[in-house]
Amino acid sequence: RNLPFVGERVGARVDPAWSSAIRLIALALILCRAGLAFDLQALWRLLGVVTRLAVLPCLVEATVVLALGMVLLDFPPLWAAMLGFVVAPISPAVVVPGLLSLQERGYGTTTGIPTMVLAAAPFDDVLSIAGFGICLGFVASGGGGGGAGWLDF
């Protein structure tokens, strides 16, 4: 879609329903590969670290983007929070194949680092989706932060 030649020849010919289904299947396969690569003993041993690795960066990134969105873009707080939760999550499509490759080569397997990061990546995404949904619910209900009136320019 974003490339003029390729978008006209490939992107315009793919039915949006099929495109959505293919993307969903690709994400499911990536997350299945990550789940099959878990070392359960290392996961239980590092459960607190996995939780901190997923929660803290997500919330800090969302908070920084919230503050910048309010200051630089003049967004209402809830809209800036939604922007923060859109920007904060990591992409399993980028992280999982790279970590699986490193795990196959033996990097970090004794300390459980690949298992820790592979478990934290989807949890980080779920936290971001939940945060966005909560903020969207408040905005849609008109619960402060410049709801529907903010869109009336």
Side-chain angles (χ1 to χ4, degrees):
R1 285 188 301 201
N2 296 334
L3 300 173
F5 180 76
V6 176
E8 296 166 3
R9 307 268 181 318
V10 177
R13 296 181 182 187
V14 176
D15 183 27
W18 279 101
S19 173
S20 176
I22 290 170
R23 283 185 280 139
L24 187 61
I25 290 170
L27 178 63
L29 287 175
I30 289 168
L31 292 178
C32 284
R33 282 186 64 198
L36 292 173
F38 280 163
D39 178 10
L40 291 178
Q41 293 173 344
L43 183 62
W44 282 112
R45 188 178 72 238
L46 299 169
L47 191 59
V49 178
V50 169
T51 305
R52 286 191 308 265
L53 184 62
V55 172
L56 291 179
C58 178
L59 293 180
V60 168
E61 288 175 29
T63 304
V64 168
V65 173
L66 181 146
L68 290 174
M70 288 174 57
V71 171
L72 298 177
L73 301 174
D74 199 28
F75 278 8
L78 285 173
W79 286 84
M82 285 194 313
L83 177 65
F85 283 116
V86 166
V87 172
I90 62 171
S91 173
V94 175
V95 173
V96 170
L99 272 173
L100 291 178
S101 172
L102 291 173
Q103 187 175 14
E104 288 173 1
R105 289 186 258 162
Y107 290 108
T109 53
T110 56
T111 56
I113 291 173
T115 298
M116 179 176 56
V117 176
L118 288 173
F123 186 47
D124 178 82
D125 291 342
V126 168
L127 182 63
S128 294
I129 291 168
F132 178 83
I134 291 168
C135 292
L136 181 62
F138 280 124
V139 167
S141 70
W150 190 75
L151 293 175
D152 297 334
F153 295 148

